[in-house]
Amino acid sequence: EVQLLESGGGLVQPGGSLRLSCAASGFTFTTYAMGWVRQAPGKGLEWVSTISENGINTHYADSVKGRFTISRDNSKNTVHLQMISLRVEDTAVYYCARDVGVVMYDYWGQGALVTVSS
Amino acid sequence: DAVLTQTPLSSPVTLGQPASISCRSSQNLVHSDGNTYLNWLQQRPGQPPRLLIYKISNRFSGVPDRFSGSGAGTDFTLKISRVEAEDVGVYYCMQVTQFPRTFGQGTKVEIK
């Protein structure tokens, strides 16, 4: 059974940093690119970032470019999202999902809530 | 960027009646490999998104056959043949053909 479990969410002050993790299981992790999607309270879905299967290629939304860094550890089946210089508008539930593969965005985690507030 | 525009944004439906959601892209979503990576997602209240349809018209595992997708190029449609109570939620189209990935604004399906 495919499972994606996010962790690392929490409350942080504007300008602060946070690192999200997504632990994957139930599939061959190295055959999938992985992505992060976020959803601000009461709003729609916004793609944030994607990392390729081998971690070499990364893509970012303009809204987070230069502040967020996606990485993965294929030995631990984990993908990370390092977030710095956080803004109030980064407040959202962050979901990880399988990106490029046989079927894209087929499995999603339960999400991690990030709240940026003073 | 491929901007996805959904209509309607709200769809009150009587149980057992059909519902239809349109998704129009500002760019052609055909990938260089010939596939069109247009997904439909359902998000029930308090839940993460769930994939319903991928590559325009392919139902994902476990999705009831009352859900169907169609379209090509820039115009796509999700249809629910007979709405059930469990179908209440917000529906999003999403394109995975190009970066950045983009979503439609979401269509809220509710029971009249």
Side-chain angles (χ1 to χ4, degrees), chain A residues 37 39 44-45 47 50 59 95 99-100 103-110, chain B residues 37 39 41 43 47-49 51 54 60 92 94 96 99-101 103:
Chain A
V37 171
Q39 186 170 38
L45 300 169
W47 171 79
T50 294
H59 303 269
Y95 298 102
D99 189 301
V100 175
V103 180
M104 300 179 184
Y105 286 86
D106 52 354
Y107 288 95
W108 296 63
Q110 288 296 310
Chain B
Y37 295 100
N39 288 357
L41 306 165
Q43 189 174 33
Q47 296 293 313
L51 178 66
Y54 64 97
F60 188 55
Y92 297 91
M94 174 192 188
V96 204
F99 288 102
R101 314 311 199 188
F103 293 87

PDB file of all heavy atoms in Angstrom, chain A residues 37 39 44-45 47 50 59 95 99-100 103-110, chain B residues 37 39 41 43 47-49 51 54 60 92 94 96 99-101 103:
ATOM      1  N   VAL A  37       2.597  20.273  -2.829  1.00  0.00           N
ATOM      2  CA  VAL A  37       1.472  21.137  -3.177  1.00  0.00           C
ATOM      3  C   VAL A  37       0.950  21.724  -1.873  1.00  0.00           C
ATOM      4  O   VAL A  37       0.906  21.028  -0.860  1.00  0.00           O
ATOM      5  CB  VAL A  37       0.358  20.325  -3.878  1.00  0.00           C
ATOM      6  CG1 VAL A  37      -0.915  21.159  -4.054  1.00  0.00           C
ATOM      7  CG2 VAL A  37       0.849  19.805  -5.230  1.00  0.00           C
ATOM      8  N   GLN A  39      -2.028  24.341   0.280  1.00  0.00           N
ATOM      9  CA  GLN A  39      -3.391  24.861   0.264  1.00  0.00           C
ATOM     10  C   GLN A  39      -3.568  25.805   1.440  1.00  0.00           C
ATOM     11  O   GLN A  39      -3.585  25.374   2.599  1.00  0.00           O
ATOM     12  CB  GLN A  39      -4.399  23.720   0.343  1.00  0.00           C
ATOM     13  CG  GLN A  39      -5.841  24.145   0.188  1.00  0.00           C
ATOM     14  CD  GLN A  39      -6.768  22.953   0.022  1.00  0.00           C
ATOM     15  OE1 GLN A  39      -6.571  21.901   0.654  1.00  0.00           O
ATOM     16  NE2 GLN A  39      -7.791  23.091  -0.820  1.00  0.00           N
ATOM     17  N   GLY A  44      -7.676  27.357  -2.766  1.00  0.00           N
ATOM     18  CA  GLY A  44      -7.443  26.242  -3.664  1.00  0.00           C
ATOM     19  C   GLY A  44      -6.042  25.671  -3.538  1.00  0.00           C
ATOM     20  O   GLY A  44      -5.261  26.036  -2.650  1.00  0.00           O
ATOM     21  N   LEU A  45      -5.731  24.759  -4.453  1.00  0.00           N
ATOM     22  CA  LEU A  45      -4.448  24.068  -4.440  1.00  0.00           C
ATOM     23  C   LEU A  45      -3.411  24.835  -5.244  1.00  0.00           C
ATOM     24  O   LEU A  45      -3.719  25.401  -6.301  1.00  0.00           O
ATOM     25  CB  LEU A  45      -4.619  22.662  -5.026  1.00  0.00           C
ATOM     26  CG  LEU A  45      -5.609  21.764  -4.286  1.00  0.00           C
ATOM     27  CD1 LEU A  45      -5.908  20.515  -5.101  1.00  0.00           C
ATOM     28  CD2 LEU A  45      -5.072  21.396  -2.917  1.00  0.00           C
ATOM     29  N   TRP A  47       0.617  24.323  -6.601  1.00  0.00           N
ATOM     30  CA  TRP A  47       1.845  23.532  -6.713  1.00  0.00           C
ATOM     31  C   TRP A  47       3.020  24.367  -6.205  1.00  0.00           C
ATOM     32  O   TRP A  47       3.102  25.569  -6.479  1.00  0.00           O
ATOM     33  CB  TRP A  47       2.061  23.134  -8.168  1.00  0.00           C
ATOM     34  CG  TRP A  47       3.386  22.509  -8.436  1.00  0.00           C
ATOM     35  CD1 TRP A  47       3.777  21.231  -8.185  1.00  0.00           C
ATOM     36  CD2 TRP A  47       4.535  23.160  -8.989  1.00  0.00           C
ATOM     37  NE1 TRP A  47       5.082  21.039  -8.558  1.00  0.00           N
ATOM     38  CE2 TRP A  47       5.572  22.208  -9.058  1.00  0.00           C
ATOM     39  CE3 TRP A  47       4.787  24.448  -9.451  1.00  0.00           C
ATOM     40  CZ2 TRP A  47       6.840  22.502  -9.558  1.00  0.00           C
ATOM     41  CZ3 TRP A  47       6.040  24.757  -9.953  1.00  0.00           C
ATOM     42  CH2 TRP A  47       7.057  23.783  -9.999  1.00  0.00           C
ATOM     43  N   THR A  50       8.840  20.368  -7.344  1.00  0.00           N
ATOM     44  CA  THR A  50       9.004  18.979  -7.770  1.00  0.00           C
ATOM     45  C   THR A  50      10.482  18.653  -7.855  1.00  0.00           C
ATOM     46  O   THR A  50      11.289  19.500  -8.252  1.00  0.00           O
ATOM     47  CB  THR A  50       8.347  18.745  -9.150  1.00  0.00           C
ATOM     48  OG1 THR A  50       6.933  18.896  -9.039  1.00  0.00           O
ATOM     49  CG2 THR A  50       8.666  17.362  -9.703  1.00  0.00           C
ATOM     50  N   HIS A  59      12.239  21.907  -9.621  1.00  0.00           N
ATOM     51  CA  HIS A  59      11.403  22.971 -10.163  1.00  0.00           C
ATOM     52  C   HIS A  59      10.667  23.631  -9.008  1.00  0.00           C
ATOM     53  O   HIS A  59      10.283  22.943  -8.045  1.00  0.00           O
ATOM     54  CB  HIS A  59      10.379  22.421 -11.162  1.00  0.00           C
ATOM     55  CG  HIS A  59      10.988  21.664 -12.302  1.00  0.00           C
ATOM     56  ND1 HIS A  59      11.345  22.271 -13.484  1.00  0.00           N
ATOM     57  CD2 HIS A  59      11.318  20.354 -12.426  1.00  0.00           C
ATOM     58  CE1 HIS A  59      11.854  21.354 -14.309  1.00  0.00           C
ATOM     59  NE2 HIS A  59      11.853  20.192 -13.676  1.00  0.00           N
ATOM     60  N   TYR A  95       1.090  19.383   1.206  1.00  0.00           N
ATOM     61  CA  TYR A  95       0.932  17.970   0.859  1.00  0.00           C
ATOM     62  C   TYR A  95       2.098  17.516  -0.004  1.00  0.00           C
ATOM     63  O   TYR A  95       2.558  18.254  -0.879  1.00  0.00           O
ATOM     64  CB  TYR A  95      -0.334  17.761   0.022  1.00  0.00           C
ATOM     65  CG  TYR A  95      -1.637  18.106   0.690  1.00  0.00           C
ATOM     66  CD1 TYR A  95      -2.293  19.296   0.403  1.00  0.00           C
ATOM     67  CD2 TYR A  95      -2.235  17.219   1.583  1.00  0.00           C
ATOM     68  CE1 TYR A  95      -3.510  19.603   0.990  1.00  0.00           C
ATOM     69  CE2 TYR A  95      -3.448  17.525   2.181  1.00  0.00           C
ATOM     70  CZ  TYR A  95      -4.079  18.717   1.879  1.00  0.00           C
ATOM     71  OH  TYR A  95      -5.292  19.026   2.465  1.00  0.00           O
ATOM     72  N   ASP A  99       4.858  12.693  -8.210  1.00  0.00           N
ATOM     73  CA  ASP A  99       4.743  13.565  -9.387  1.00  0.00           C
ATOM     74  C   ASP A  99       4.901  12.738 -10.646  1.00  0.00           C
ATOM     75  O   ASP A  99       3.972  12.072 -11.068  1.00  0.00           O
ATOM     76  CB  ASP A  99       5.764  14.699  -9.303  1.00  0.00           C
ATOM     77  CG  ASP A  99       5.554  15.768 -10.365  1.00  0.00           C
ATOM     78  OD1 ASP A  99       5.591  15.454 -11.559  1.00  0.00           O
ATOM     79  OD2 ASP A  99       5.345  16.939  -9.998  1.00  0.00           O
ATOM     80  N   VAL A 100       6.022  12.770 -11.300  1.00  0.00           N
ATOM     81  CA  VAL A 100       6.189  12.050 -12.562  1.00  0.00           C
ATOM     82  C   VAL A 100       6.312  10.558 -12.309  1.00  0.00           C
ATOM     83  O   VAL A 100       7.146  10.111 -11.539  1.00  0.00           O
ATOM     84  CB  VAL A 100       7.441  12.540 -13.319  1.00  0.00           C
ATOM     85  CG1 VAL A 100       7.661  11.704 -14.564  1.00  0.00           C
ATOM     86  CG2 VAL A 100       7.279  14.009 -13.667  1.00  0.00           C
ATOM     87  N   VAL A 103       1.358   7.168 -13.321  1.00  0.00           N
ATOM     88  CA  VAL A 103       0.221   8.064 -13.138  1.00  0.00           C
ATOM     89  C   VAL A 103       0.698   9.186 -12.228  1.00  0.00           C
ATOM     90  O   VAL A 103       1.325   8.918 -11.207  1.00  0.00           O
ATOM     91  CB  VAL A 103      -0.993   7.351 -12.502  1.00  0.00           C
ATOM     92  CG1 VAL A 103      -2.157   8.323 -12.320  1.00  0.00           C
ATOM     93  CG2 VAL A 103      -1.401   6.148 -13.330  1.00  0.00           C
ATOM     94  N   MET A 104       0.408  10.398 -12.584  1.00  0.00           N
ATOM     95  CA  MET A 104       0.939  11.527 -11.810  1.00  0.00           C
ATOM     96  C   MET A 104      -0.056  12.027 -10.773  1.00  0.00           C
ATOM     97  O   MET A 104      -1.256  12.092 -11.052  1.00  0.00           O
ATOM     98  CB  MET A 104       1.307  12.652 -12.765  1.00  0.00           C
ATOM     99  CG  MET A 104       2.359  12.256 -13.780  1.00  0.00           C
ATOM    100  SD  MET A 104       2.711  13.642 -14.871  1.00  0.00           S
ATOM    101  CE  MET A 104       3.866  12.854 -15.994  1.00  0.00           C
ATOM    102  N   TYR A 105       0.456  12.386  -9.613  1.00  0.00           N
ATOM    103  CA  TYR A 105      -0.365  12.897  -8.518  1.00  0.00           C
ATOM    104  C   TYR A 105      -1.486  11.908  -8.184  1.00  0.00           C
ATOM    105  O   TYR A 105      -2.628  12.300  -7.957  1.00  0.00           O
ATOM    106  CB  TYR A 105      -0.871  14.310  -8.837  1.00  0.00           C
ATOM    107  CG  TYR A 105       0.268  15.289  -8.699  1.00  0.00           C
ATOM    108  CD1 TYR A 105       1.122  15.526  -9.766  1.00  0.00           C
ATOM    109  CD2 TYR A 105       0.545  15.896  -7.475  1.00  0.00           C
ATOM    110  CE1 TYR A 105       2.226  16.365  -9.617  1.00  0.00           C
ATOM    111  CE2 TYR A 105       1.642  16.732  -7.324  1.00  0.00           C
ATOM    112  CZ  TYR A 105       2.483  16.954  -8.400  1.00  0.00           C
ATOM    113  OH  TYR A 105       3.572  17.777  -8.251  1.00  0.00           O
ATOM    114  N   ASP A 106      -1.128  10.642  -8.134  1.00  0.00           N
ATOM    115  CA  ASP A 106      -2.109   9.604  -7.817  1.00  0.00           C
ATOM    116  C   ASP A 106      -2.255   9.391  -6.317  1.00  0.00           C
ATOM    117  O   ASP A 106      -3.326   9.031  -5.847  1.00  0.00           O
ATOM    118  CB  ASP A 106      -1.768   8.295  -8.532  1.00  0.00           C
ATOM    119  CG  ASP A 106      -0.339   7.833  -8.304  1.00  0.00           C
ATOM    120  OD1 ASP A 106       0.446   8.580  -7.672  1.00  0.00           O
ATOM    121  OD2 ASP A 106      -0.004   6.732  -8.793  1.00  0.00           O
ATOM    122  N   TYR A 107      -1.181   9.575  -5.568  1.00  0.00           N
ATOM    123  CA  TYR A 107      -1.247   9.409  -4.121  1.00  0.00           C
ATOM    124  C   TYR A 107      -0.752  10.665  -3.428  1.00  0.00           C
ATOM    125  O   TYR A 107       0.263  11.251  -3.820  1.00  0.00           O
ATOM    126  CB  TYR A 107      -0.431   8.191  -3.674  1.00  0.00           C
ATOM    127  CG  TYR A 107      -1.086   6.886  -4.052  1.00  0.00           C
ATOM    128  CD1 TYR A 107      -0.727   6.233  -5.235  1.00  0.00           C
ATOM    129  CD2 TYR A 107      -2.081   6.323  -3.264  1.00  0.00           C
ATOM    130  CE1 TYR A 107      -1.347   5.046  -5.610  1.00  0.00           C
ATOM    131  CE2 TYR A 107      -2.703   5.138  -3.632  1.00  0.00           C
ATOM    132  CZ  TYR A 107      -2.333   4.509  -4.802  1.00  0.00           C
ATOM    133  OH  TYR A 107      -2.948   3.339  -5.170  1.00  0.00           O
ATOM    134  N   TRP A 108      -1.485  11.034  -2.372  1.00  0.00           N
ATOM    135  CA  TRP A 108      -1.191  12.244  -1.615  1.00  0.00           C
ATOM    136  C   TRP A 108      -1.071  11.892  -0.127  1.00  0.00           C
ATOM    137  O   TRP A 108      -1.752  10.992   0.356  1.00  0.00           O
ATOM    138  CB  TRP A 108      -2.323  13.257  -1.780  1.00  0.00           C
ATOM    139  CG  TRP A 108      -2.527  13.760  -3.173  1.00  0.00           C
ATOM    140  CD1 TRP A 108      -2.883  13.028  -4.268  1.00  0.00           C
ATOM    141  CD2 TRP A 108      -2.410  15.105  -3.605  1.00  0.00           C
ATOM    142  NE1 TRP A 108      -2.993  13.847  -5.365  1.00  0.00           N
ATOM    143  CE2 TRP A 108      -2.716  15.127  -4.984  1.00  0.00           C
ATOM    144  CE3 TRP A 108      -2.104  16.315  -2.970  1.00  0.00           C
ATOM    145  CZ2 TRP A 108      -2.696  16.311  -5.741  1.00  0.00           C
ATOM    146  CZ3 TRP A 108      -2.096  17.477  -3.715  1.00  0.00           C
ATOM    147  CH2 TRP A 108      -2.384  17.466  -5.088  1.00  0.00           C
ATOM    148  N   GLY A 109      -0.229  12.656   0.579  1.00  0.00           N
ATOM    149  CA  GLY A 109      -0.194  12.500   2.014  1.00  0.00           C
ATOM    150  C   GLY A 109      -1.361  13.213   2.670  1.00  0.00           C
ATOM    151  O   GLY A 109      -2.176  13.840   1.984  1.00  0.00           O
ATOM    152  N   GLN A 110      -1.430  13.122   3.972  1.00  0.00           N
ATOM    153  CA  GLN A 110      -2.502  13.766   4.736  1.00  0.00           C
ATOM    154  C   GLN A 110      -2.264  15.258   4.946  1.00  0.00           C
ATOM    155  O   GLN A 110      -3.181  15.996   5.277  1.00  0.00           O
ATOM    156  CB  GLN A 110      -2.679  13.085   6.094  1.00  0.00           C
ATOM    157  CG  GLN A 110      -3.309  11.715   6.006  1.00  0.00           C
ATOM    158  CD  GLN A 110      -4.730  11.766   5.477  1.00  0.00           C
ATOM    159  OE1 GLN A 110      -5.574  12.531   5.948  1.00  0.00           O
ATOM    160  NE2 GLN A 110      -5.032  10.943   4.475  1.00  0.00           N
TER     161      GLN A 110
ATOM    162  N   TYR B  37      -1.600  15.395 -20.110  1.00  0.00           N
ATOM    163  CA  TYR B  37      -1.593  15.088 -18.680  1.00  0.00           C
ATOM    164  C   TYR B  37      -2.529  16.024 -17.919  1.00  0.00           C
ATOM    165  O   TYR B  37      -2.111  16.944 -17.205  1.00  0.00           O
ATOM    166  CB  TYR B  37      -0.158  15.158 -18.152  1.00  0.00           C
ATOM    167  CG  TYR B  37       0.728  14.091 -18.754  1.00  0.00           C
ATOM    168  CD1 TYR B  37       1.592  14.390 -19.802  1.00  0.00           C
ATOM    169  CD2 TYR B  37       0.674  12.774 -18.284  1.00  0.00           C
ATOM    170  CE1 TYR B  37       2.390  13.410 -20.370  1.00  0.00           C
ATOM    171  CE2 TYR B  37       1.467  11.792 -18.843  1.00  0.00           C
ATOM    172  CZ  TYR B  37       2.324  12.111 -19.888  1.00  0.00           C
ATOM    173  OH  TYR B  37       3.110  11.135 -20.454  1.00  0.00           O
ATOM    174  N   ASN B  39      -5.453  15.966 -15.151  1.00  0.00           N
ATOM    175  CA  ASN B  39      -6.057  15.192 -14.066  1.00  0.00           C
ATOM    176  C   ASN B  39      -7.287  15.901 -13.519  1.00  0.00           C
ATOM    177  O   ASN B  39      -7.400  17.124 -13.586  1.00  0.00           O
ATOM    178  CB  ASN B  39      -5.075  15.035 -12.896  1.00  0.00           C
ATOM    179  CG  ASN B  39      -3.929  14.091 -13.171  1.00  0.00           C
ATOM    180  OD1 ASN B  39      -3.860  13.478 -14.230  1.00  0.00           O
ATOM    181  ND2 ASN B  39      -3.031  13.976 -12.209  1.00  0.00           N
ATOM    182  N   LEU B  41      -9.224  15.976  -9.731  1.00  0.00           N
ATOM    183  CA  LEU B  41      -9.086  15.613  -8.327  1.00  0.00           C
ATOM    184  C   LEU B  41     -10.367  15.975  -7.585  1.00  0.00           C
ATOM    185  O   LEU B  41     -11.040  16.959  -7.924  1.00  0.00           O
ATOM    186  CB  LEU B  41      -7.919  16.368  -7.692  1.00  0.00           C
ATOM    187  CG  LEU B  41      -6.550  16.247  -8.380  1.00  0.00           C
ATOM    188  CD1 LEU B  41      -5.608  17.318  -7.863  1.00  0.00           C
ATOM    189  CD2 LEU B  41      -5.974  14.883  -8.131  1.00  0.00           C
ATOM    190  N   GLN B  43     -11.739  16.768  -3.631  1.00  0.00           N
ATOM    191  CA  GLN B  43     -11.347  17.024  -2.246  1.00  0.00           C
ATOM    192  C   GLN B  43     -12.596  17.137  -1.389  1.00  0.00           C
ATOM    193  O   GLN B  43     -13.339  18.119  -1.489  1.00  0.00           O
ATOM    194  CB  GLN B  43     -10.488  18.281  -2.118  1.00  0.00           C
ATOM    195  CG  GLN B  43      -9.894  18.431  -0.722  1.00  0.00           C
ATOM    196  CD  GLN B  43      -8.923  19.580  -0.611  1.00  0.00           C
ATOM    197  OE1 GLN B  43      -9.067  20.600  -1.271  1.00  0.00           O
ATOM    198  NE2 GLN B  43      -7.905  19.424   0.245  1.00  0.00           N
ATOM    199  N   GLN B  47     -10.332  16.614   3.962  1.00  0.00           N
ATOM    200  CA  GLN B  47      -9.531  15.515   3.424  1.00  0.00           C
ATOM    201  C   GLN B  47      -8.483  16.031   2.432  1.00  0.00           C
ATOM    202  O   GLN B  47      -8.647  17.109   1.861  1.00  0.00           O
ATOM    203  CB  GLN B  47     -10.429  14.500   2.711  1.00  0.00           C
ATOM    204  CG  GLN B  47     -11.409  13.796   3.631  1.00  0.00           C
ATOM    205  CD  GLN B  47     -10.684  12.896   4.619  1.00  0.00           C
ATOM    206  OE1 GLN B  47      -9.786  12.124   4.254  1.00  0.00           O
ATOM    207  NE2 GLN B  47     -11.058  13.004   5.875  1.00  0.00           N
ATOM    208  N   PRO B  48      -7.420  15.258   2.211  1.00  0.00           N
ATOM    209  CA  PRO B  48      -6.494  15.631   1.135  1.00  0.00           C
ATOM    210  C   PRO B  48      -7.149  15.372  -0.216  1.00  0.00           C
ATOM    211  O   PRO B  48      -8.161  14.654  -0.299  1.00  0.00           O
ATOM    212  CB  PRO B  48      -5.300  14.690   1.350  1.00  0.00           C
ATOM    213  CG  PRO B  48      -5.871  13.510   2.072  1.00  0.00           C
ATOM    214  CD  PRO B  48      -6.995  14.035   2.907  1.00  0.00           C
ATOM    215  N   PRO B  49      -6.577  15.938  -1.263  1.00  0.00           N
ATOM    216  CA  PRO B  49      -7.115  15.664  -2.607  1.00  0.00           C
ATOM    217  C   PRO B  49      -6.993  14.180  -2.940  1.00  0.00           C
ATOM    218  O   PRO B  49      -6.107  13.475  -2.447  1.00  0.00           O
ATOM    219  CB  PRO B  49      -6.217  16.506  -3.519  1.00  0.00           C
ATOM    220  CG  PRO B  49      -5.657  17.562  -2.633  1.00  0.00           C
ATOM    221  CD  PRO B  49      -5.478  16.902  -1.301  1.00  0.00           C
ATOM    222  N   LEU B  51      -7.181  11.564  -6.400  1.00  0.00           N
ATOM    223  CA  LEU B  51      -7.203  11.504  -7.860  1.00  0.00           C
ATOM    224  C   LEU B  51      -8.417  10.716  -8.344  1.00  0.00           C
ATOM    225  O   LEU B  51      -8.667   9.594  -7.896  1.00  0.00           O
ATOM    226  CB  LEU B  51      -5.925  10.837  -8.380  1.00  0.00           C
ATOM    227  CG  LEU B  51      -5.832  10.670  -9.899  1.00  0.00           C
ATOM    228  CD1 LEU B  51      -5.760  12.036 -10.588  1.00  0.00           C
ATOM    229  CD2 LEU B  51      -4.618   9.817 -10.276  1.00  0.00           C
ATOM    230  N   TYR B  54      -7.109  10.577 -14.701  1.00  0.00           N
ATOM    231  CA  TYR B  54      -5.796  11.010 -15.190  1.00  0.00           C
ATOM    232  C   TYR B  54      -5.748  10.893 -16.712  1.00  0.00           C
ATOM    233  O   TYR B  54      -6.505  10.123 -17.317  1.00  0.00           O
ATOM    234  CB  TYR B  54      -4.660  10.229 -14.530  1.00  0.00           C
ATOM    235  CG  TYR B  54      -4.644   8.739 -14.840  1.00  0.00           C
ATOM    236  CD1 TYR B  54      -3.832   8.220 -15.844  1.00  0.00           C
ATOM    237  CD2 TYR B  54      -5.439   7.859 -14.106  1.00  0.00           C
ATOM    238  CE1 TYR B  54      -3.808   6.862 -16.116  1.00  0.00           C
ATOM    239  CE2 TYR B  54      -5.431   6.500 -14.371  1.00  0.00           C
ATOM    240  CZ  TYR B  54      -4.604   6.010 -15.378  1.00  0.00           C
ATOM    241  OH  TYR B  54      -4.593   4.664 -15.650  1.00  0.00           O
ATOM    242  N   PHE B  60      -9.023   6.442 -12.149  1.00  0.00           N
ATOM    243  CA  PHE B  60      -8.020   5.871 -11.260  1.00  0.00           C
ATOM    244  C   PHE B  60      -8.635   4.694 -10.510  1.00  0.00           C
ATOM    245  O   PHE B  60      -9.864   4.556 -10.424  1.00  0.00           O
ATOM    246  CB  PHE B  60      -7.498   6.936 -10.295  1.00  0.00           C
ATOM    247  CG  PHE B  60      -6.336   6.482  -9.463  1.00  0.00           C
ATOM    248  CD1 PHE B  60      -5.185   5.975 -10.060  1.00  0.00           C
ATOM    249  CD2 PHE B  60      -6.366   6.556  -8.076  1.00  0.00           C
ATOM    250  CE1 PHE B  60      -4.101   5.558  -9.300  1.00  0.00           C
ATOM    251  CE2 PHE B  60      -5.298   6.141  -7.300  1.00  0.00           C
ATOM    252  CZ  PHE B  60      -4.170   5.632  -7.919  1.00  0.00           C
ATOM    253  N   TYR B  92     -11.094  19.758  -8.665  1.00  0.00           N
ATOM    254  CA  TYR B  92     -10.047  20.538  -9.317  1.00  0.00           C
ATOM    255  C   TYR B  92      -9.557  19.821 -10.567  1.00  0.00           C
ATOM    256  O   TYR B  92      -9.336  18.605 -10.546  1.00  0.00           O
ATOM    257  CB  TYR B  92      -8.840  20.711  -8.397  1.00  0.00           C
ATOM    258  CG  TYR B  92      -9.079  21.479  -7.125  1.00  0.00           C
ATOM    259  CD1 TYR B  92      -9.447  20.828  -5.953  1.00  0.00           C
ATOM    260  CD2 TYR B  92      -8.913  22.860  -7.075  1.00  0.00           C
ATOM    261  CE1 TYR B  92      -9.657  21.516  -4.775  1.00  0.00           C
ATOM    262  CE2 TYR B  92      -9.114  23.565  -5.895  1.00  0.00           C
ATOM    263  CZ  TYR B  92      -9.488  22.886  -4.761  1.00  0.00           C
ATOM    264  OH  TYR B  92      -9.688  23.587  -3.590  1.00  0.00           O
ATOM    265  N   MET B  94      -6.190  19.670 -12.959  1.00  0.00           N
ATOM    266  CA  MET B  94      -4.764  19.920 -12.729  1.00  0.00           C
ATOM    267  C   MET B  94      -4.007  19.462 -13.969  1.00  0.00           C
ATOM    268  O   MET B  94      -4.264  18.372 -14.488  1.00  0.00           O
ATOM    269  CB  MET B  94      -4.268  19.117 -11.526  1.00  0.00           C
ATOM    270  CG  MET B  94      -2.769  19.205 -11.302  1.00  0.00           C
ATOM    271  SD  MET B  94      -2.203  17.983 -10.092  1.00  0.00           S
ATOM    272  CE  MET B  94      -0.499  18.510  -9.897  1.00  0.00           C
ATOM    273  N   VAL B  96      -0.388  18.400 -15.592  1.00  0.00           N
ATOM    274  CA  VAL B  96       0.946  17.920 -15.238  1.00  0.00           C
ATOM    275  C   VAL B  96       1.770  17.755 -16.517  1.00  0.00           C
ATOM    276  O   VAL B  96       2.748  17.027 -16.551  1.00  0.00           O
ATOM    277  CB  VAL B  96       0.850  16.582 -14.462  1.00  0.00           C
ATOM    278  CG1 VAL B  96       2.079  16.372 -13.601  1.00  0.00           C
ATOM    279  CG2 VAL B  96      -0.375  16.548 -13.585  1.00  0.00           C
ATOM    280  N   PHE B  99       5.819  22.446 -16.479  1.00  0.00           N
ATOM    281  CA  PHE B  99       6.076  23.219 -15.279  1.00  0.00           C
ATOM    282  C   PHE B  99       5.836  24.693 -15.591  1.00  0.00           C
ATOM    283  O   PHE B  99       6.180  25.163 -16.675  1.00  0.00           O
ATOM    284  CB  PHE B  99       7.523  23.013 -14.806  1.00  0.00           C
ATOM    285  CG  PHE B  99       7.787  21.655 -14.222  1.00  0.00           C
ATOM    286  CD1 PHE B  99       8.434  20.680 -14.964  1.00  0.00           C
ATOM    287  CD2 PHE B  99       7.381  21.352 -12.922  1.00  0.00           C
ATOM    288  CE1 PHE B  99       8.666  19.428 -14.435  1.00  0.00           C
ATOM    289  CE2 PHE B  99       7.612  20.096 -12.375  1.00  0.00           C
ATOM    290  CZ  PHE B  99       8.256  19.129 -13.142  1.00  0.00           C
ATOM    291  N   PRO B 100       5.281  25.448 -14.629  1.00  0.00           N
ATOM    292  CA  PRO B 100       4.781  24.964 -13.346  1.00  0.00           C
ATOM    293  C   PRO B 100       3.498  24.154 -13.487  1.00  0.00           C
ATOM    294  O   PRO B 100       2.688  24.412 -14.382  1.00  0.00           O
ATOM    295  CB  PRO B 100       4.505  26.260 -12.580  1.00  0.00           C
ATOM    296  CG  PRO B 100       4.156  27.252 -13.643  1.00  0.00           C
ATOM    297  CD  PRO B 100       5.009  26.903 -14.820  1.00  0.00           C
ATOM    298  N   ARG B 101       3.332  23.144 -12.628  1.00  0.00           N
ATOM    299  CA  ARG B 101       2.041  22.468 -12.557  1.00  0.00           C
ATOM    300  C   ARG B 101       1.001  23.518 -12.148  1.00  0.00           C
ATOM    301  O   ARG B 101       1.303  24.407 -11.328  1.00  0.00           O
ATOM    302  CB  ARG B 101       2.051  21.364 -11.503  1.00  0.00           C
ATOM    303  CG  ARG B 101       3.258  20.406 -11.479  1.00  0.00           C
ATOM    304  CD  ARG B 101       3.625  19.834 -12.782  1.00  0.00           C
ATOM    305  NE  ARG B 101       4.454  18.629 -12.663  1.00  0.00           N
ATOM    306  CZ  ARG B 101       5.016  18.045 -13.702  1.00  0.00           C
ATOM    307  NH1 ARG B 101       4.844  18.542 -14.915  1.00  0.00           N
ATOM    308  NH2 ARG B 101       5.739  16.951 -13.521  1.00  0.00           N
ATOM    309  N   PHE B 103      -3.373  24.365 -11.305  1.00  0.00           N
ATOM    310  CA  PHE B 103      -4.692  23.861 -10.941  1.00  0.00           C
ATOM    311  C   PHE B 103      -5.768  24.858 -11.381  1.00  0.00           C
ATOM    312  O   PHE B 103      -5.512  26.071 -11.443  1.00  0.00           O
ATOM    313  CB  PHE B 103      -4.805  23.731  -9.419  1.00  0.00           C
ATOM    314  CG  PHE B 103      -3.919  22.689  -8.806  1.00  0.00           C
ATOM    315  CD1 PHE B 103      -2.620  23.011  -8.435  1.00  0.00           C
ATOM    316  CD2 PHE B 103      -4.379  21.401  -8.575  1.00  0.00           C
ATOM    317  CE1 PHE B 103      -1.796  22.055  -7.864  1.00  0.00           C
ATOM    318  CE2 PHE B 103      -3.569  20.440  -7.993  1.00  0.00           C
ATOM    319  CZ  PHE B 103      -2.272  20.771  -7.638  1.00  0.00           C
TER     320      PHE B 103
END
